[in-house]
Coordinates of all heavy atoms in Angstrom, one line a residue:
K1 N 14.3 -9.2 -12.9 CA 14.4 -8.0 -13.8 C 13.2 -7.9 -14.6 O 12.6 -6.8 -14.8 CB 15.6 -8.2 -14.7 CG 17.0 -8.1 -13.9 CD 18.1 -8.3 -14.9 CE 19.5 -8.2 -14.1 NZ 20.6 -8.4 -15.0
C2 N 12.7 -9.0 -15.1 CA 11.5 -9.0 -16.0 C 10.3 -8.6 -15.2 O 9.5 -7.8 -15.7 CB 11.3 -10.4 -16.6 SG 12.5 -10.8 -17.8
E3 N 10.1 -9.2 -14.0 CA 9.0 -8.9 -13.2 C 8.9 -7.4 -12.8 O 7.8 -6.8 -12.7 CB 9.0 -9.7 -11.9 CG 8.8 -11.2 -12.1 CD 9.0 -12.0 -10.8 OE1 9.4 -11.3 -9.8 OE2 8.7 -13.2 -10.8
N4 N 10.0 -6.8 -12.6 CA 10.0 -5.4 -12.1 C 10.2 -4.3 -13.2 O 10.5 -3.2 -12.9 CB 11.1 -5.2 -11.0 CG 10.6 -5.9 -9.8 OD1 9.9 -5.3 -9.0 ND2 11.1 -7.1 -9.5
L5 N 10.1 -4.8 -14.5 CA 10.1 -3.8 -15.5 C 8.9 -2.8 -15.4 O 8.8 -1.8 -16.1 CB 10.0 -4.5 -16.9 CG 11.4 -4.9 -17.4 CD1 11.2 -5.7 -18.7 CD2 12.3 -3.8 -17.7
S6 N 8.0 -3.2 -14.5 CA 6.8 -2.4 -14.2 C 7.2 -1.0 -13.8 O 6.5 0.0 -14.0 CB 5.9 -3.0 -13.2 OG 6.6 -3.2 -12.0
S7 N 8.4 -0.9 -13.1 CA 8.9 0.4 -12.7 C 9.1 1.3 -13.9 O 8.9 2.5 -13.9 CB 10.2 0.3 -11.9 OG 9.9 -0.2 -10.6
L8 N 9.7 0.7 -15.0 CA 9.9 1.5 -16.2 C 8.6 2.0 -16.8 O 8.5 3.2 -17.1 CB 10.7 0.7 -17.2 CG 11.0 1.4 -18.5 CD1 11.9 2.6 -18.3 CD2 11.7 0.4 -19.5
Y9 N 7.6 1.2 -16.8 CA 6.3 1.6 -17.3 C 5.7 2.6 -16.4 O 4.9 3.5 -16.9 CB 5.4 0.4 -17.6 CG 5.9 -0.6 -18.6 CD1 6.4 -1.8 -18.3 CD2 6.0 -0.2 -20.0 CE1 6.9 -2.7 -19.3 CE2 6.4 -1.0 -20.9 CZ 6.9 -2.3 -20.6 OH 7.4 -3.1 -21.6
K10 N 5.9 2.5 -15.1 CA 5.4 3.4 -14.2 C 6.0 4.8 -14.4 O 5.3 5.8 -14.3 CB 5.7 3.0 -12.7 CG 5.1 3.9 -11.7 CD 3.6 4.0 -11.7 CE 3.1 4.9 -10.6 NZ 3.4 4.5 -9.2
I11 N 7.3 4.9 -14.7 CA 7.9 6.1 -15.0 C 7.3 6.8 -16.3 O 7.0 8.0 -16.3 CB 9.4 5.9 -15.3 CG1 10.1 5.6 -13.9 CG2 10.1 7.1 -15.9 CD1 11.5 5.1 -14.1
F12 N 7.1 6.0 -17.3 CA 6.4 6.5 -18.5 C 5.0 7.0 -18.2 O 4.6 8.0 -18.7 CB 6.4 5.4 -19.6 CG 7.7 5.0 -20.1 CD1 7.9 3.8 -20.7 CD2 8.8 5.9 -20.1 CE1 9.2 3.4 -21.1 CE2 10.0 5.6 -20.6 CZ 10.2 4.3 -21.1
S13 N 4.3 6.3 -17.3 CA 3.0 6.7 -17.0 C 3.0 8.0 -16.3 O 2.1 8.9 -16.5 CB 2.3 5.6 -16.1 OG 1.1 6.0 -15.6
M14 N 4.0 8.2 -15.4 CA 4.1 9.5 -14.7 C 4.4 10.6 -15.7 O 3.8 11.7 -15.5 CB 5.2 9.4 -13.7 CG 4.9 8.6 -12.4 SD 6.3 8.6 -11.3 CE 5.7 7.6 -10.0
L15 N 5.2 10.4 -16.6 CA 5.5 11.4 -17.6 C 4.3 11.8 -18.4 O 4.1 13.0 -18.7 CB 6.7 11.0 -18.5 CG 8.0 10.6 -17.8 CD1 9.1 10.2 -18.8 CD2 8.5 11.9 -17.0
I16 N 3.6 10.8 -18.8 CA 2.4 11.0 -19.6 C 1.3 11.7 -18.8 O 0.7 12.7 -19.3 CB 1.8 9.7 -20.1 CG1 2.8 9.1 -21.2 CG2 0.4 9.9 -20.8 CD1 2.4 7.7 -21.6
S17 N 1.2 11.3 -17.5 CA 0.2 12.0 -16.6 C 0.6 13.5 -16.4 O -0.3 14.3 -16.3 CB 0.2 11.3 -15.3 OG -0.3 10.0 -15.4
A18 N 1.9 13.8 -16.4 CA 2.3 15.2 -16.2 C 1.8 16.0 -17.4 O 1.4 17.2 -17.2 CB 3.8 15.2 -16.1
Q19 N 1.8 15.4 -18.6 CA 1.3 16.1 -19.7 C -0.3 16.2 -19.7 O -0.8 17.2 -20.1 CB 1.7 15.4 -21.0 CG 3.2 15.6 -21.4 CD 3.5 17.0 -21.9 OE1 3.6 17.9 -21.1 NE2 3.5 17.2 -23.2
N20 N -0.9 15.1 -19.3 CA -2.4 15.0 -19.4 C -3.1 15.7 -18.3 O -4.2 16.1 -18.4 CB -2.8 13.5 -19.4 CG -2.4 12.8 -20.7 OD1 -2.2 13.5 -21.7 ND2 -2.4 11.5 -20.7
L21 N -2.3 16.0 -17.2 CA -3.0 16.6 -16.0 C -3.6 18.0 -16.4 O -4.6 18.4 -15.9 CB -2.0 16.8 -14.9 CG -2.5 17.2 -13.5 CD1 -3.6 16.2 -13.0 CD2 -1.4 17.4 -12.5
K22 N -2.9 18.7 -17.3 CA -3.4 20.0 -17.7 C -4.7 19.8 -18.5 O -5.5 20.8 -18.6 CB -2.4 20.7 -18.6 CG -1.0 20.9 -18.0 CD 0.0 21.4 -18.9 CE 1.4 21.5 -18.3 NZ 2.4 22.0 -19.3
K23 N -5.0 18.6 -19.0 CA -6.2 18.4 -19.8 C -7.4 17.8 -19.0 O -8.5 17.7 -19.6 CB -5.9 17.5 -21.0 CG -4.7 18.0 -21.8 CD -4.3 16.9 -22.9 CE -3.1 17.3 -23.7 NZ -2.7 16.3 -24.6
T24 N -7.1 17.4 -17.8 CA -8.2 16.8 -17.0 C -9.3 17.8 -16.6 O -9.0 19.0 -16.4 CB -7.6 16.2 -15.7 OG1 -7.0 17.2 -15.0 CG2 -6.7 15.0 -16.1
P25 N -10.5 17.4 -16.5 CA -11.6 18.3 -16.2 C -11.3 18.9 -14.8 O -10.8 18.2 -13.9 CB -12.8 17.4 -16.1 CG -12.5 16.2 -17.0 CD -11.0 16.0 -16.8
P26 N -11.7 20.2 -14.6 CA -11.5 20.8 -13.2 C -12.1 20.0 -12.1 O -11.6 19.9 -11.0 CB -12.2 22.2 -13.4 CG -12.1 22.4 -14.9 CD -12.2 21.1 -15.6
I27 N -13.3 19.4 -12.4 CA -13.9 18.6 -11.3 C -13.1 17.4 -10.9 O -13.1 17.0 -9.7 CB -15.4 18.2 -11.8 CG1 -16.2 17.8 -10.5 CG2 -15.3 17.1 -12.8 CD1 -17.6 17.6 -10.8
L28 N -12.4 16.8 -11.8 CA -11.5 15.7 -11.5 C -10.3 16.2 -10.7 O -9.8 15.5 -9.7 CB -11.0 15.0 -12.8 CG -10.0 13.8 -12.6 CD1 -10.5 12.8 -11.6 CD2 -9.7 13.2 -13.9
N29 N -9.8 17.4 -11.1 CA -8.7 17.9 -10.3 C -9.1 18.2 -8.9 O -8.3 18.1 -7.9 CB -8.2 19.2 -11.0 CG -7.4 19.0 -12.2 OD1 -6.8 17.9 -12.4 ND2 -7.4 19.9 -13.2
G30 N -10.4 18.5 -8.7 CA -10.9 18.7 -7.3 C -10.8 17.4 -6.5 O -10.5 17.4 -5.4
A31 N -11.2 16.3 -7.2 CA -11.1 15.0 -6.5 C -9.7 14.6 -6.2 O -9.4 14.1 -5.1 CB -11.8 14.0 -7.5
L32 N -8.8 14.9 -7.1 CA -7.4 14.6 -6.9 C -6.8 15.4 -5.7 O -6.0 14.9 -4.9 CB -6.5 14.8 -8.1 CG -6.9 14.0 -9.4 CD1 -6.0 14.3 -10.5 CD2 -7.0 12.5 -9.1
T33 N -7.2 16.6 -5.6 CA -6.8 17.5 -4.5 C -7.3 17.0 -3.2 O -6.6 16.9 -2.2 CB -7.2 18.9 -4.7 OG1 -6.6 19.4 -5.9 CG2 -6.8 19.8 -3.6
Y34 N -8.6 16.6 -3.2 CA -9.2 16.0 -2.0 C -8.4 14.8 -1.5 O -8.2 14.6 -0.3 CB -10.7 15.7 -2.2 CG -11.4 15.3 -1.0 CD1 -11.9 16.2 -0.1 CD2 -11.5 13.9 -0.6 CE1 -12.5 15.8 1.1 CE2 -12.1 13.5 0.5 CZ -12.7 14.4 1.4 OH -13.3 14.0 2.5
I35 N -8.1 13.9 -2.5 CA -7.4 12.7 -2.1 C -6.0 13.0 -1.5 O -5.6 12.5 -0.5 CB -7.2 11.8 -3.4 CG1 -8.6 11.2 -3.8 CG2 -6.2 10.7 -3.1 CD1 -8.5 10.5 -5.1
D36 N -5.3 14.0 -2.1 CA -4.0 14.4 -1.6 C -4.1 14.9 -0.2 O -3.2 14.6 0.6 CB -3.4 15.4 -2.5 CG -2.8 14.9 -3.8 OD1 -2.6 13.6 -3.9 OD2 -2.6 15.6 -4.8
N37 N -5.1 15.7 0.1 CA -5.3 16.3 1.4 C -5.8 15.3 2.5 O -5.7 15.7 3.6 CB -6.3 17.5 1.3 CG -5.7 18.6 0.5 OD1 -4.5 18.8 0.3 ND2 -6.6 19.5 0.0
N38 N -6.3 14.2 2.0 CA -6.8 13.2 3.0 C -6.2 11.8 2.9 O -6.8 10.9 3.4 CB -8.4 13.1 2.8 CG -9.1 14.4 3.1 OD1 -9.4 14.7 4.3 ND2 -9.3 15.3 2.1
I39 N -5.1 11.7 2.2 CA -4.5 10.4 2.0 C -4.1 9.7 3.3 O -4.0 8.5 3.4 CB -3.2 10.6 1.1 CG1 -2.9 9.2 0.4 CG2 -2.1 11.2 1.8 CD1 -3.9 8.8 -0.6

């Protein structure tokens, strides 16, 4: 249970990322899109 509390922190990280994604530079969003398309 202790070892896998990382899942809880991962959830919080996703929620924070959802808020911060709107603030990321457009050029970084371009990199993220390229990664998604070529994963």
